[in-house]
Amino acid sequence: MVNPATAETALPAGMALEIDGIRHAFTLEGKPLPVLSDVSFNVEPGEFVALLGPSGCGKSTLLRLLAGLEPPDLGEARADGAAITTPDPSRVVVFQDPTLFPWRTVRANVALGLEAQGLMKTRAHRIDEALERVGLGAFGNVYPHQLSGGMAQRAALARALVNDPRLLILDEPLGKLDSLTRMSMQSEIVDLWRRDGFTTLLVTHDVEEALFMATRVIVFSERPARITADIAIERDYPRHRSDPYFADLKRRVFGLLGMDATW
Amino acid sequence: MSDSALPRYAFAAPQRPWPGVLLAAAVWAAAGALIRIWPDEADFTRLLSTIVFGIAVALSLLAAAGPYLPERAAKVRFAAPWAIALAVALAAWEVITAKTGYLPRPFFVPPQELLGVFVDDWAKLFECVAHSVLLLASGYALGSTLGFLTGLALGWSKAVGYWGHPILRLIGPLPATAWLPIAFFMFPTSWSAAVFLIALASGLPVAILTWSGVSSVGGAYYDIARTLGGSPRFLVLKVTIPAAMPNVFVGLFMGLSASFAVLVVAEMMGVKAGLGWYLQWAQGWAAYGNMYAALGVMAVMCSSLVTLLFQVRGRLLAWQKGLLRW
Ligand SMILES: Nc1ncnc2c1ncn2[C@@H]1O[C@H](COP(=O)(O)OP(=O)(O)OP(=O)(O)O)[C@@H](O)[C@H]1O
Ligand SMILES: [Mg+2]
């Protein structure tokens, strides 16, 4: 496992997370809808944790709580020991829906975080770097409606990456990509994570993707979500998709997701 | 002729003139002849026919030069049917008024009499336009600025929304002209009263549409800006305002139309200047030619201002172009 704690800064490049007894419910048509029931787990700095679970079980909700966009009903999430109460640019989210600002060009969308933090003077060069990295170098000046769905997702990824996050929260960031682009983006994200050492949480429906990228996979139950399994993936990088180790794990995870019949 | 001896297209053959524009020139020339040759008792008949001939000459020059124009400028040829229709309409108007008297004076005015108004009274008309535009611009700028800020505050702040909503619901539907008697009584000058009325008429739709624009901004945009470290100020300036802009412009267009109505009424009722006043003054003298002239000038003024606003919107909302048709 890779965990390059940088020597210059007091804090490691990755953020430590403690998720402690979180419960959360929504009100739907006047009735309470429990979504998270007693979710607890810790994440070490620099870990890459994939979250798997059935659709609608509460994964995106958990990510919103960790981003600080909403407070949990009960329990607490802590980043490096401090309770998460508000959003912070050290914790950057790539949402399930790319939601680029339609009135801004792609480059201006990617610049959003730097503008918000007043870093345009010193770090503007990062914008084109990030665009290159997601393969949108030639599309900086176009508007979002001129992009394909997959390109918009890649632009959203670039918008997150320019901020040098210590925690990168990815909610199905590659869902709209074709399988080839998807594979190359998976490798790209893993490379970035290995280079920069940030902590990563990845929600995905693709078991193979989770196994190929993450150091650890957490499986959730149907709503209200509980953790049903927490599996460490002990394979070094670069990984190979054909590794038989992954085939065995895959069968196990599909079993946990209630799909054993087809395996 | 051998193929290799000469480049075949070394000398471009002279291009044929645009046929549609040429036809338009002919129709204008015919209209000019009709006006000149058929005798009547109106003044300015000669001047009118000279102008019409001048247009015919200009059109034939355009027809000849047209094929050599760049493609952008060459679009004018699509206006040829309009040019023909206008000449026919002018000739018909001339025949039923000046030439035959079929439509009686003074209610119906022949074209040359209208031309006479511009020749005799252009200075006054110009002054009236300047006065109207200044009054309208003052009221509209004030109203749309205040309306925009009000709408922003209503949509952004719960407290302002709580107090502002019922007030706006109550006075919003009231036509601004209903305030006219009170305004002329309350304000020190009729000019300031008119500015107030125009500001009210344009400010209300801007406020309401800005407000609805602000409240319909998707929460996802705010989530993104917040996770990227955006301060409340950043959220207002970089999320709320740009996202609400399409709605704001709908309000600005509604406000502009409303302000035209109030401008004319205010000028007729209290302000002793401007096109509205000119109209009423002309009515007092039964000077129908002057009334038609002022109406025409007013139409040009209003439609120019609307066009100007369209241009501003096109600049600011260029990003929308691919999203919807307008
Ligand atoms: N703002 C909200 N108000 C009410 N209910 C909500 C809200 N957001 C989510 N829910 C409900 O919470 C449940 C979990 O939603 P969530 O988006 O977290 O699921 P998810 O695990 O991310 O699903 P998917 O994999 O399909 O994205 C759903 O049943 C949804 O209806
Ligand atoms: Mg989700």
Side-chain angles (χ1 to χ4, degrees):
Chain A
M1 203 188 101
V2 188
N3 183 7
T6 38
E8 318 80 85
T9 49
L11 289 167
M15 184 179 276
L17 281 179
E18 297 159 79
I19 290 122
D20 192 359
I22 283 191
R23 283 167 199 274
H24 200 70
F26 289 110
T27 312
L28 216 56
E29 293 175 343
K31 280 185 292 247
L33 178 79
V35 173
L36 299 170
S37 83
D38 197 17
V39 174
S40 302
F41 60 95
N42 290 349
V43 180
E44 300 290 321
E47 262 193 298
F48 193 133
V49 181
L51 309 177
L52 285 171
S55 176
C57 76
K59 304 179 297 294
S60 296
T61 306
L62 178 64
L63 296 189
R64 284 181 66 80
L65 303 182
L66 295 180
L69 290 168
E70 281 166 52
D73 290 348
L74 222 70
E76 192 176 66
R78 288 183 291 274
D80 291 328
I84 295 173
T85 52
T86 54
D88 188 278
S90 65
R91 290 176 261 125
V92 173
V93 190
V94 178
F95 291 92
Q96 201 161 357
D97 193 82
T99 326
L100 299 170
F101 290 12
W103 58 88
R104 284 175 168 244
T105 60
V106 169
R107 179 176 287 106
N109 264 286
V110 174
L112 209 58
L114 299 182
E115 268 181 49
Q117 297 157 58
L119 297 173
M120 278 302 273
K121 289 234 170 63
T122 52
R123 287 211 264 163
H125 61 280
R126 301 289 316 275
I127 297 166
D128 285 303
E129 253 174 63
L131 281 172
E132 284 303 331
R133 186 159 290 136
V134 298
L136 290 177
F139 290 87
N141 293 325
V142 310
Y143 283 98
H145 72 262
Q146 295 164 309
L147 298 180
S148 71
M151 288 161 89
Q153 268 191 334
R154 285 184 276 150
L157 190 61
R159 179 174 61 188
L161 292 175
V162 285
N163 299 290
D164 290 323
R166 296 187 54 237
L167 172 65
L168 183 62
I169 300 177
L170 303 168
D171 196 349
E172 292 183 52
L174 310 179
K176 286 182 187 158
L177 300 186
D178 66 281
S179 55
L180 285 179
T181 319
R182 194 179 170 110
M183 282 191 229
S184 74
M185 290 304 297
Q186 287 168 358
S187 306
E188 192 69 53
I189 294 173
V190 169
D191 288 348
L192 277 172
W193 162 73
R194 293 218 295 157
R195 195 192 73 183
D196 295 344
F198 47 76
T199 306
T200 306
L201 290 182
L202 168 75
V203 165
T204 175
H205 283 291
D206 183 343
V207 176
E208 231 164 290
E209 177 170 284
L211 300 181
F212 176 72
M213 295 174 79
T215 57
R216 183 177 158 199
V217 173
I218 294 179
V219 183
F220 289 96
S221 67
E222 292 274 358
R223 189 184 55 241
R226 292 172 292 103
I227 295 177
T228 53
D230 190 336
I231 305 164
I233 302 172
E234 281 141 0
R235 269 297 189 267
D236 282 335
Y237 299 87
R239 290 175 174 175
H240 299 282
R241 290 171 203 274
S242 54
D243 191 335
Y245 173 79
F246 291 139
D248 290 342
L249 257 185
K250 204 158 115 181
R251 181 166 313 148
R252 203 175 134 203
V253 172
F254 270 115
L256 287 163
L257 291 168
M259 296 291 286
D260 12 15
T262 47
W263 286 85
Chain B
M1 186 174 116
S2 90
D3 275 21
S4 55
L6 278 171
R8 282 170 84 181
Y9 299 106
F11 303 99
Q15 304 267 324
R16 290 190 50 218
W18 282 337
V21 179
L22 210 54
L23 179 62
V27 178
W28 276 91
L34 180 138
I35 295 168
R36 174 70 62 100
I37 293 164
W38 192 336
D40 62 47
E41 267 132 49
D43 298 327
F44 295 106
T45 303
R46 271 188 82 84
L47 178 61
L48 179 66
S49 68
T50 307
I51 291 174
V52 172
F53 281 131
I55 291 172
V57 171
L59 284 170
S60 47
L61 288 178
L62 177 67
Y68 305 99
L69 291 178
E71 186 49 38
R72 265 179 69 87
K75 288 217 177 81
V76 296
R77 70 182 182 278
F78 298 122
W82 265 106
I84 294 169
L86 281 176
V88 172
L90 178 70
W93 177 14
E94 179 71 19
V95 169
I96 57 178
T97 53
K99 304 301 186 193
T100 62
Y102 178 74
L103 291 180
R105 295 191 209 203
F107 309 109
F108 296 96
V109 178
Q112 48 266 62
E113 199 179 315
L114 216 54
L115 182 65
V117 173
F118 287 108
V119 172
D120 292 337
D121 218 16
W122 66 269
K124 197 184 218 164
L125 272 170
F126 182 81
E127 202 187 306
C128 286
V129 170
H131 196 279
S132 288
V133 169
L134 183 68
L135 178 57
L136 188 77
S138 309
Y140 185 69
L142 183 70
S144 43
T145 308
L146 290 180
F148 175 73
L149 294 176
T150 308
L152 205 58
L154 283 166
W156 186 255
S157 152
K158 283 220 165 65
V160 178
Y162 175 84
W163 294 105
H165 183 196
I167 298 176
L168 218 54
R169 276 286 278 274
L170 187 68
I171 65 163
L174 199 61
T177 40
W179 294 89
L180 201 118
I182 294 178
F184 279 115
F185 171 71
M186 296 268 285
F187 280 82
T189 61
S190 58
W191 199 83
S192 55
V195 168
F196 164 77
L197 289 171
I198 293 168
L200 191 70
S202 54
L204 278 170
V206 174
I208 291 169
L209 267 294
T210 303
W211 176 21
S212 90
V214 169
S215 23
S216 63
V217 178
Y221 293 137
Y222 292 117
D223 286 350
I224 291 192
R226 285 172 65 210
T227 54
L228 293 174
S231 60
R233 183 188 142 84
F234 184 85
L235 297 190
V236 176
L237 293 180
K238 301 296 171 116
V239 181
T240 313
I241 291 179
M245 228 40 192
N247 267 307
V248 173
F249 267 96
V250 176
L252 285 172
F253 277 106
M254 288 167 59
L256 191 58
S257 318
S259 69
F260 292 150
V262 177
L263 171 76
V264 175
V265 176
E267 284 177 342
M268 285 180 171
M269 304 293 290
V271 185
K272 293 277 168 264
L275 284 172
W277 167 80
Y278 188 96
L279 267 177
Q280 219 193 13
W281 167 85
Q283 191 205 23
W285 291 96
Y288 291 92
N290 298 57
M291 282 168 66
Y292 289 118
L295 271 181
V297 171
M298 201 183 278
V300 171
M301 179 185 88
C302 294
S303 83
S304 307
L305 291 172
V306 171
T307 307
L308 188 69
L309 191 56
F310 264 109
Q311 299 280 333
V312 174
R313 178 171 85 160
R315 279 281 162 80
L316 283 179
L317 300 187
W319 57 272
Q320 268 201 319
K321 274 203 176 121
L323 294 178
L324 38 111
R325 302 240 150 268
W326 34 276

